[in-house]
């Protein structure tokens, strides 16, 4: 078994690792679904590409992700032990360390990716090296380059 770095891999943020967990144990799963959830599920289930959810702060990106996790668990696409939710901050944003600890056949969700410098290059190299790992990232509009929209 992998020994995960507790700074990034917190059981409180990954309650689906618990034995008796059900998708309805995710509080956000009970929230009213926004229109964006159906689009997100269509893109997630329809492709194995990395997904980037970008938007202004406090618009509900994390809620949307938690609703996706609940759906993934309900659909049994990944077992709870293979879903890794990591929240970056200005202080804790070591993407290389996080990605190095993720096992194959897993789903990794990184919230607030804008705190990591050069994240696009690191994730591209990671996915080229480990194609059996799935990544979804969220970030604020600070991901823009000089006001221009950035797509990847």
């Amino acid at each position: 078994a992998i020994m995960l770095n507790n700074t990034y891999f917190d059981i409180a943020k990954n309650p689906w690792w618990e034995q008796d967990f059900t998708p309805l144990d995710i509080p956000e799963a009970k929230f009213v679904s926004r229109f964006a959830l159906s689009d997100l599920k269509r893109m997630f289930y329809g492709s194995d590409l990395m997904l980037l959810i970008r938007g202004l702060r406090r618009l509900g990106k994390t809620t949307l992700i938690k609703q996706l996790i609940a759906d993934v668990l309900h659909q049994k696409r990944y077992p709870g032990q293979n879903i890794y939710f990591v929240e970056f901050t200005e202080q804790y944003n070591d993407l290389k360390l996080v990605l190095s600890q993720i096992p194959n056949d897993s789903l990794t969700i990184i919230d607030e990716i804008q705190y990591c410098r050069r994240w696009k290059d690191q994730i591209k190299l990671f996915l080229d090296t480990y194609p059996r790992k799935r990544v979804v990232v969220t970030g604020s509009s600070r991901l823009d380059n000089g006001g221009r929209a950035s797509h990847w």
Side-chain angles (χ1 to χ4, degrees):
I2 274 183
M3 185 62 180
L4 297 172
N5 181 304
N6 289 353
T7 301
Y8 295 101
F9 299 99
D10 182 1
I11 189 76
K13 294 193 190 294
N14 292 275
W16 40 87
W17 293 347
E18 297 283 352
Q19 198 76 3
D20 299 329
F21 186 85
T22 70
L24 287 177
D25 292 334
I26 299 174
E28 293 85 350
K30 298 176 186 90
F31 294 1
V32 173
S33 296
R34 296 185 171 168
F35 70 92
L37 182 60
S38 60
D39 290 341
L40 178 60
K41 288 193 311 191
R42 182 178 42 77
M43 288 184 279
F44 180 82
Y45 294 124
S47 165
D48 61 354
L49 297 174
M50 184 205 89
L51 294 179
L52 165 63
I53 302 167
R54 188 183 76 193
L56 297 173
R57 294 182 51 75
R58 311 231 4 105
L59 279 183
K61 295 178 298 293
T62 303
T63 296
L64 197 60
I65 283 299
K66 297 285 181 79
Q67 290 176 331
L68 176 65
I69 291 169
D71 193 72
V72 166
L73 289 165
H74 179 74
Q75 303 279 341
K76 299 186 182 338
R77 297 294 180 106
Y78 289 91
Q81 299 84 352
N82 288 26
I83 299 174
Y84 298 87
F85 178 81
V86 178
E87 189 173 36
F88 278 178
T89 65
E90 287 184 32
Q91 189 174 10
Y92 299 107
N93 54 32
D94 189 341
L95 182 59
K96 195 172 194 175
L97 174 67
V98 166
L99 294 177
S100 72
Q101 296 192 350
I102 303 296
N104 276 329
D105 300 316
S106 61
L107 169 61
T108 304
I109 295 129
I110 302 170
D111 200 19
E112 306 290 354
I113 194 73
Q114 75 272 4
Y115 291 119
C116 176
R117 293 178 352 154
R118 301 197 54 201
W119 66 269
K120 290 179 188 178
D121 296 334
Q122 291 182 59
I123 288 181
K124 179 173 181 354
L125 177 62
F126 173 76
L127 292 174
D128 287 348
T129 307
Y130 304 102
R132 290 175 42 208
K133 298 181 184 187
R134 187 77 191 271
V135 177
V136 177
V137 298
T138 75
S140 75
S141 56
R142 285 181 34 193
L143 291 173
D144 287 351
N145 297 329
R148 296 183 310 272
S150 60
H151 300 282
W152 184 71

